[in-house]
Amino acid sequence: MRHGKYPLIVTFLVPPVLLYVIFVVSPYLQAFQISTTDWLGYSADANSVGLANFKTLWNDDYVWNALKNNAILLALVPVLTIVLGLFFAAMLNMGGRKGRAGVSGVRGSSFYRTVYFFPQVLSVVIIALLWKEVYHPNKGLLTSALNSVGLGAPTWLGDPRTAFWCVLAVMIWSNVGFYVVLFGAAMSAIPKEIYEAVMLDGASRLTTLWKVTIPLLWDTVQVAWVYLAIFALDGFILVQLMTNGGPNFSTDVIGVRMYDTAFGSETKFGYASAIGVVMFFLTLTVAVLALRASKRDRIEYS
Amino acid sequence: MRRELGVANVLSHGFLLFWGALTVLPLLWMFISSFKSNAEILADPWSLPGALRFDNWSRAWSGAHIGQYFLNSLVVVAGSVTLTMLMGATAAYVFARYEFRGKQVVYYLFVGGLMFPVFLALVPLFFVVRNAGLFGTWTGLILVYAAYSLPFTVFFLTAFFRTLPTAVAEAALVDGCGHFRLFFQVMLPMARPGLISVAIFNFLSHWNQFLLPQVLMQGDESKWVLAQGLAALSVNQGYAGDYAQLFAGLTIAVVPVLLVYILFQRQVQSGLTAGQLK
């Protein structure tokens, strides 16, 4: 009966495995090896230098500066995005008038969900270019709005004191809508009976949100956390297109550092790969830590 | 009691409208500015255009080659999504439905790719593609997009194929249906909802790719994809002072995607959120 399953397994599995090994697995493996060489790109000679690249990295102030910026993003982007996402999702799903079921969504909630999700379908390139114009010192939307009400405005992306926060704001802007939809879907999966029971006990709306909804959403929040953390360690496209790390390295991130090292004026491929290896371990560590930290207090409804 | 609720309701609508405006305003501004003259854009960013200047659009479409890049993106994404779905579905089907030695190893090899930042692979990938003679070609981009989409696609579809009832497949085999026919005529149609979700997810992520084409498609401008073309337009706009052209270019890139999203929003939202909930 089961004769002939091997032809299928082989035809179905060999092409994808080949493609994947050639273009994904082998580059990753090579990257580790290249990171221990002094390879300067297009020439053939690459000498093994052991861990010298990592030693240089340790003393590279530009890399530390970029890492510091990534660390601030890592501390702020997930928290702010999740808080805003939960806030708006709660408004959408629980902000309506009290009905028999205890809570209900506001009117037009599907409209809000549609609109909030817009940035998620746009490419990061478009978001970066558009916001660069919004922040433009003369013709930008933001500056002229502030000017028209008589407030002076900084030069946003041109000022080392504000540029970083401008980029951070765009990161949050582009992510919140997605998490509103994600949390909203999780909220509507919570059984209505739970809300009925809580309302009968006389709980206020805020208590319900704090004591019932958010704990029941914890699994989803945990997933959001991991993804936003990985996102905060990247930030490459937004930074490269909006500020290219400037002014005065105030918005530099590790991805831009690596890209410039590899494909900028000098093609230091060995050193760039070392930065890549560091990014790899950072991402892995952050993902594992985020998963660990949020694994407490798991609540399941049965 | 009732009044208090009324206030809460107004308040929640207020916050919701605020964020809605914050989301829409930049996009609306971009759209409106795409009809303005450069002088109007400089004079007052908040004003409405004096006339509907479609010449901005044609200047972006042909002058800045946005039309060409748009078509290039279509070609690449059509190829890469097709390839991803074909390879992802076949591999996932084998993982979900057949037993063989080393299955776990191969499966985790695929799924492991979900965790790694693409930056690490960037430098060697550049040379792998170049040595294969695929540098600066659409074929190269298509193969690379597909390869990097396989981890998620295989992961998602394996889980999906597992949920399909085994009874149907067994009945078909008993009736003398071959393994290949079983896949194409029974399993694929049954898996349609899952396939559509993943296809939308892959479509958007390939359409929005920037880093991979930037590295693998340097040089020959006529082959660039949309994201590269827009980035170049933004840089040139700084020198030429043609802001209207940039806004028109961005609008050309945004409008079709937003239209597709609005038409298929439920599938898009579920496809993308499923992408995160792995």
Side-chain angles (χ1 to χ4, degrees):
Chain A
M1 187 56 55
R2 289 278 169 191
H3 71 278
K5 84 173 181 180
Y6 282 102
L8 177 125
I9 293 178
V10 170
T11 356
F12 275 17
L13 213 49
V14 168
V17 167
L18 269 181
L19 186 77
Y20 185 70
V21 166
I22 293 172
F23 290 109
V24 182
V25 178
S26 92
Y28 278 124
L29 293 179
Q30 288 179 49
F32 283 99
Q33 190 260 320
I34 295 172
S35 75
T36 64
T37 67
D38 60 358
W39 194 22
L40 284 176
Y42 303 92
S43 66
D45 34 285
N47 307 307
S48 176
V49 292
L51 296 178
N53 283 328
F54 294 93
K55 259 184 219 148
T56 320
L57 239 164
W58 184 258
N59 296 313
D60 188 334
D61 288 342
Y62 293 107
V63 168
W64 279 109
N65 169 60
L67 275 177
K68 185 202 78 190
N69 286 336
N70 277 119
I72 301 174
L73 293 177
L74 186 62
L76 292 180
V77 171
V79 177
L80 293 172
T81 311
I82 288 174
V83 166
L84 283 171
L86 279 173
F87 177 75
F88 290 119
M91 288 284 170
L92 282 175
N93 286 279
M94 306 171 64
R97 281 168 204 285
K98 222 180 238 187
R100 221 167 51 81
V103 289
S104 62
V106 296
R107 262 200 266 163
S109 67
S110 67
F111 172 75
Y112 285 121
R113 252 190 284 269
T114 306
V115 168
Y116 286 9
F117 207 74
F118 278 171
Q120 197 61 37
V121 292
L122 302 182
S123 84
V124 190
V125 172
I126 289 172
I127 290 173
L129 299 179
L130 178 58
W131 276 89
K132 197 178 163 191
E133 298 305 314
V134 171
Y135 285 132
H136 195 281
N138 314 321
K139 59 183 171 62
L141 202 55
L142 207 55
T143 311
S144 61
L146 287 175
N147 284 340
S148 64
V149 292
L151 288 169
T155 49
W156 306 117
L157 297 174
D159 189 331
R161 284 167 304 176
T162 49
F164 180 76
W165 306 104
C166 290
V167 175
L168 188 139
V170 177
M171 287 182 177
I172 292 167
W173 179 86
S174 61
N175 274 312
V176 164
F178 176 82
Y179 290 97
V180 171
V181 171
L182 189 70
F183 294 147
M187 277 182 193
S188 52
I190 297 174
K192 283 269 186 270
E193 298 84 58
I194 296 184
Y195 285 118
E196 276 175 17
V198 180
M199 288 291 180
L200 278 178
D201 289 347
S204 77
R205 215 181 276 239
L206 206 64
T207 323
T208 315
L209 175 67
W210 196 244
K211 292 274 169 72
V212 179
T213 311
I214 291 180
L216 287 178
L217 242 57
W218 208 237
D219 274 2
T220 317
V221 172
Q222 173 192 324
V223 173
W225 201 277
V226 175
Y227 274 89
L228 284 163
I230 291 174
F231 172 85
L233 282 178
D234 181 345
F236 169 78
I237 298 177
L238 277 179
V239 170
Q240 201 201 30
L241 291 175
M242 287 175 75
T243 63
N244 202 12
N248 197 18
F249 295 97
S250 60
T251 57
D252 208 11
V253 288
I254 194 75
V256 172
R257 217 51 352 264
M258 186 195 159
Y259 188 87
D260 283 354
T261 311
F263 302 102
S265 52
E266 307 164 273
T267 49
K268 294 189 197 161
F269 284 131
Y271 193 50
S273 293
I275 300 179
V277 169
V278 169
M279 269 184 94
F280 167 74
F281 283 112
L282 280 179
T283 313
L284 211 61
T285 312
V286 164
V288 170
L289 284 181
L291 275 171
R292 276 270 174 95
S294 51
K295 265 264 149 69
R296 286 167 286 163
D297 300 338
R298 241 175 107 167
I299 298 171
E300 289 170 19
Y301 26 79
S302 59
Chain B
M1 188 66 184
R2 205 153 244 287
R3 265 188 63 184
E4 190 196 326
L5 283 171
V7 171
N9 206 289
V10 169
L11 211 67
S12 54
H13 268 295
F15 282 121
L16 289 169
L17 275 175
F18 172 73
W19 191 265
L22 214 58
T23 309
V24 171
L25 213 59
L27 293 170
L28 200 64
W29 178 62
M30 171 191 79
F31 184 70
I32 290 171
S33 299
S34 75
F35 293 112
K36 290 161 83 167
S37 68
N38 284 311
E40 282 173 339
I41 289 174
L42 279 172
D44 181 5
W46 286 80
S47 67
L48 287 172
L52 291 181
R53 294 186 187 78
F54 278 102
D55 61 303
N56 293 334
W57 288 47
S58 58
R59 213 161 58 246
W61 180 262
S62 42
H65 310 294
I66 293 299
Q68 177 68 49
Y69 300 143
F70 200 99
L71 293 177
N72 294 352
S73 275
L74 271 184
V75 171
V76 171
V77 172
S80 64
V81 171
T82 311
L83 190 67
T84 307
M85 293 313 292
L86 189 69
M87 293 206 164
T90 50
Y93 176 66
V94 171
F95 288 132
R97 288 299 167 117
Y98 290 93
E99 289 305 325
F100 56 95
R101 281 178 64 193
K103 179 171 124 168
Q104 294 295 323
V105 179
V106 188
Y107 178 71
Y108 283 111
L109 183 74
F110 269 110
V111 176
L114 282 170
M115 292 297 288
F116 301 157
V118 69
F119 281 96
L120 180 58
L122 220 49
V123 168
L125 179 66
F126 175 82
F127 287 95
V128 167
V129 171
R130 215 178 59 151
N131 294 340
L134 295 170
F135 185 75
T137 65
W138 290 337
T139 318
L141 271 193
I142 289 173
L143 291 174
V144 170
Y145 284 7
Y148 281 84
S149 305
L150 277 177
F152 172 68
T153 308
V154 167
F155 178 84
F156 186 96
L157 289 178
T158 303
F160 199 86
F161 276 121
R162 282 209 187 106
T163 65
L164 298 179
T166 43
V168 180
E170 272 158 18
L173 282 175
V174 170
D175 285 349
C177 176
H179 287 275
F180 283 94
R181 236 184 89 195
L182 173 69
F183 175 73
F184 286 105
Q185 294 198 333
V186 180
M187 301 310 281
L188 269 193
M190 279 207 294
R192 237 178 76 180
L195 294 173
I196 290 174
S197 284
V198 187
I200 290 174
F201 177 86
N202 282 323
F203 170 81
L204 278 173
S205 75
H206 293 182
W207 183 260
N208 293 336
Q209 261 302 333
F210 177 65
L211 185 60
L212 291 173
Q214 201 188 19
V215 171
L216 302 176
M217 196 51 98
Q218 300 162 16
D220 190 359
E221 286 182 26
S222 66
K223 288 191 177 159
W224 279 5
V225 295
L226 192 56
Q228 291 176 284
L230 288 171
L233 181 59
S234 166
V235 172
N236 292 338
Q237 166 262 135
Y239 304 121
D242 195 348
Y243 312 112
Q245 189 189 30
L246 174 66
F247 284 117
L250 289 175
T251 307
I252 290 171
V254 164
V255 166
V257 178
L258 276 192
L259 281 181
V260 170
Y261 162 62
I262 288 169
L263 284 177
F264 299 101
Q265 48 171 308
R266 200 180 310 154
Q267 285 95 326
V268 174
Q269 287 190 358
S270 66
L272 284 180
T273 45
Q276 303 272 311
L277 277 180
K278 39 200 172 197

